[in-house]
Amino acid sequence: MINKAAVAFKKFRSKSSKKFDILVTTPNRLIYLLKQDPPGIDLTSVEWLVVDESDKLFEDGKTGFRDQLASIFLACTSHKIRRAMFSATFAYDVEQWCKLNLDNVITVSIGARNSAVETVEQELLFVGSETGKLLAMRELVKKGFNPPVLVFVQSIERAKELFHELIYEGINVDVIHAERTQQQRDNTVHSFRAGKIWVLICTALLARGIDFKGVNLVINYDFPTSSVEYIHRISRTGRAGHKGKAVTFFTEDDKPLLRSVANVIQQAGCPVPEYIKGFQKLLSKQKKKMIKKPLERESISTTPKYFLEQAKAKQKKATGQSSKKKVTLEGKS
């Protein structure tokens, strides 16, 4: 497994193909090794190239990895090479790419395409506003739930905010996001798997790539930007035949996105309020726009705005005084 490309370059060099049978890596780290002079890795003897989360990796634009994958494909020159693409969802543009660029494509589908598993009990919960989400969250805690629980929010900042609110609820809660160090993330994942953490707050990034066995409840605190993202989020529970539950909060602002997610819920045999079925579907351009630019939401906080502003002003003043003192001391020396 390649964790850090620079370290891997020193460790592997061009002999890596002789030392290892299986290599697990992200595209960017592998590209780094391929671009070294001489290349830090040799892929000419690779017989199987497996692309997991393929719909995400083949995404078009800045969020996708098409160019990197193309370089990796070209570096795997063995006549025995076989390519496999795995994903819980299968996007139309990925399917078209496969048909155009791959020979003898075989498609294997387990269950209905782009659908949620029937082992997950799904619920849509109207909370009115952003304030209503926090009230609904506290109500779920008050009623009692069966850990472990994953809670999804749409940004790192909101993950931090919700963590600071829930830490006072008397539950073992933690947060995982890209701004935490690798060691911190590893420790959090280990604690969650060991049952030391009951509730783990995370962004959509965690909906892919990390496998947690036995998650009993997924809470979509912030509404997902697409049905595909929704499927990946709730697929953290109900795995390997186990039962699970997913609760999705929605506000007035989330109404444009409701129809596509409601269709997924209905297809899985779970109840959907009748009035939601009548909502208009978003056009393709509107969907892409909302995925690229999610809704701006109010901050998650029960602290009055006045006190927050006072705290910021106090911190700014303290920082200014510290800088001034430093300048004065430097001047005296």
Side-chain angles (χ1 to χ4, degrees), residues 2-181:
I2 300 177
N3 285 322
K4 292 184 179 179
V7 175
F9 177 61
K10 294 178 182 178
K11 179 182 177 182
F12 293 161
R13 302 288 177 175
S14 59
K15 297 178 181 178
S16 60
S17 59
K18 298 176 182 177
K19 293 180 180 179
F20 307 103
D21 295 319
I22 299 173
L23 176 65
V24 181
T25 181
T26 57
N28 191 45
R29 288 166 180 169
L30 194 53
I31 291 295
Y32 175 88
L33 295 176
L34 289 171
K35 285 184 176 180
Q36 300 306 307
D37 187 18
I41 195 166
D42 179 15
L43 302 181
T44 57
S45 61
V46 171
E47 295 182 15
W48 273 100
L49 178 61
V50 180
V51 181
D52 195 17
E53 306 295 351
S54 58
D55 62 332
K56 181 65 179 176
L57 294 181
F58 274 96
E59 244 179 30
D60 199 9
K62 293 180 179 179
T63 56
F65 299 81
R66 285 190 183 185
D67 292 341
Q68 293 179 10
L69 287 172
S71 299
I72 294 168
F73 272 44
L74 291 172
C76 298
T77 57
S78 172
H79 68 281
K80 297 181 181 179
I81 187 71
R82 292 183 179 182
R83 302 176 182 90
M85 280 167 277
F86 297 162
S87 181
T89 51
F90 193 27
Y92 175 77
D93 56 341
V94 177
E95 182 181 17
Q96 292 302 107
W97 186 95
C98 291
K99 289 178 178 178
L100 289 171
N101 296 279
L102 301 177
D103 298 324
N104 303 318
V105 177
I106 298 173
T107 303
V108 179
S109 296
I110 301 173
R113 179 172 172 172
N114 293 347
S115 63
V117 292
E118 295 180 1
T119 51
V120 180
E121 178 191 342
Q122 302 169 65
E123 179 186 352
L124 283 171
L125 184 61
F126 179 64
V127 294
S129 63
E130 289 298 320
T131 305
K133 287 182 183 180
L134 201 53
L135 293 173
M137 188 74 195
R138 285 180 168 142
E139 188 63 23
L140 285 174
V141 173
K142 186 179 178 181
K143 286 181 179 179
F145 54 80
N146 187 20
V149 180
L150 279 177
V151 182
F152 286 102
V153 292
Q154 74 178 34
S155 68
I156 293 173
E157 189 58 37
R158 289 178 66 76
K160 293 176 184 176
E161 290 172 351
L162 184 58
F163 170 72
H164 287 298
E165 289 292 329
L166 295 184
I167 201 169
Y168 299 108
E169 297 299 317
I171 56 176
N172 297 330
V173 60
D174 206 344
V175 60
I176 187 170
H177 52 71
E179 288 185 2
R180 303 197 79 181
T181 66

